[in-house]
């Protein structure tokens, strides 16, 4: 679930996987393109590689619009998965 929590801030929660990412991709990319965004991931209960693709897509949308996307509260399992794909520099910076 994606929730805008304040201007420039949002959170993802629940299970972030292939099934849920399809409905999250567009709204998250739009939010990331509107301005600098701090995305709190502490409510993510479980995630798979589709979650990594979702976060990379949001990062690309933010960068294309000239904005920063900062991730916080990355769960250990998602951070481990990012490490397996050698994506820590892209996804874990700014924690």
């Amino acid at each position: 679930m994606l929730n805008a929590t304040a201007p420039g801030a949002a959170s993802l929660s629940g299970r972030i996987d292939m099934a849920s990412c399809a409905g999250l991709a567009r709204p998250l990319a739009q939010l990331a393109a509107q301005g600098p965004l701090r995305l709190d991931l502490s409510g993510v209960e479980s995630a798979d590689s589709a979650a990594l693709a979702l976060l990379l897509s949001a990062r690309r949308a933010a960068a294309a619009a000239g904005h920063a996307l900062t991730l916080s509260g990355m769960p250990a399992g998602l951070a481990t998965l990012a490490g397996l794909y050698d994506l820590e520099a892209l996804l874990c910076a700014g924690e």
Side-chain angles (χ1 to χ4, degrees):
M1 177 179 295
L2 176 63
N3 291 307
T5 55
S11 66
L12 278 175
S13 61
R15 185 176 177 88
I16 310 299
D17 57 17
M18 189 177 288
S20 64
C21 283
L24 294 171
R26 176 173 268 174
L28 181 56
Q30 289 173 336
L31 197 57
Q34 290 176 1
L37 179 65
R38 181 165 189 84
L39 185 62
D40 179 10
L41 303 173
S42 62
V44 173
E45 297 166 8
S46 64
D48 63 14
S49 59
L52 295 177
L54 176 73
L55 295 174
L56 290 171
S57 176
R59 182 159 311 275
R60 280 191 303 272
H67 303 298
L69 173 65
T70 305
L71 305 176
S72 66
M74 179 152 327
L78 189 55
T80 298
L81 194 56
L84 289 173
Y85 288 99
D86 198 25
L87 296 172
E88 301 104 322
L90 287 173
L91 296 178
C92 296
E95 279 210 78

